Amino acid sequence: INPTALGYSSIALIDVRLERNDEEAIREFEAAVVKLPQIAETLRTTGEFDYLIKASITGIQDCERLFKEHLQSLPWIRSTQIR
């Protein structure tokens, strides 16, 4: 799917740290993330953050809306950082 054809003009990279890294937390987080249509890719990482999310957005306001309305309510998120 071409994000531009759907009206998305930019990409946001979002680092996510989970509260816990057990099977339940990972399963619930991943199940919730895949339901968000703006999420193009979710990568499991090592180091300071647990995931890198690649989101298709229309601009900075869309990124803020995605963050406030959707990402903050996902299960098991301790912290996030938008790049």
Side-chain angles (χ1 to χ4, degrees):
I1 297 176
N2 180 349
T4 305
L6 298 174
Y8 299 116
S9 57
S10 300
I11 296 292
L13 298 175
I14 305 162
D15 294 308
V16 175
R17 181 180 306 138
L18 299 181
E19 287 284 340
R20 301 185 342 223
N21 281 305
D22 59 38
E23 240 181 87
E24 177 188 15
I26 291 168
R27 184 177 56 251
E28 288 181 15
F29 171 77
E30 289 179 354
V33 166
V34 298
K35 294 177 183 175
L36 298 174
Q38 302 94 326
I39 305 303
E41 196 170 1
T42 303
L43 304 168
R44 184 93 162 107
T45 62
T46 60
E48 184 179 351
F49 292 95
D50 300 306
Y51 286 89
L52 173 63
I53 294 175
K54 181 179 172 185
S56 299
I57 57 172
T58 58
I60 198 71
Q61 288 86 8
D62 190 37
C63 184
E64 289 174 0
R65 185 182 54 74
L66 171 65
F67 182 75
K68 290 178 183 174
E69 293 179 12
H70 300 289
L71 293 179
Q72 285 186 329
S73 66
L74 291 180
W76 304 113
I77 290 183
R78 177 191 302 174
S79 63
T80 59
Q81 174 179 305
I82 300 172
R83 296 188 202 185

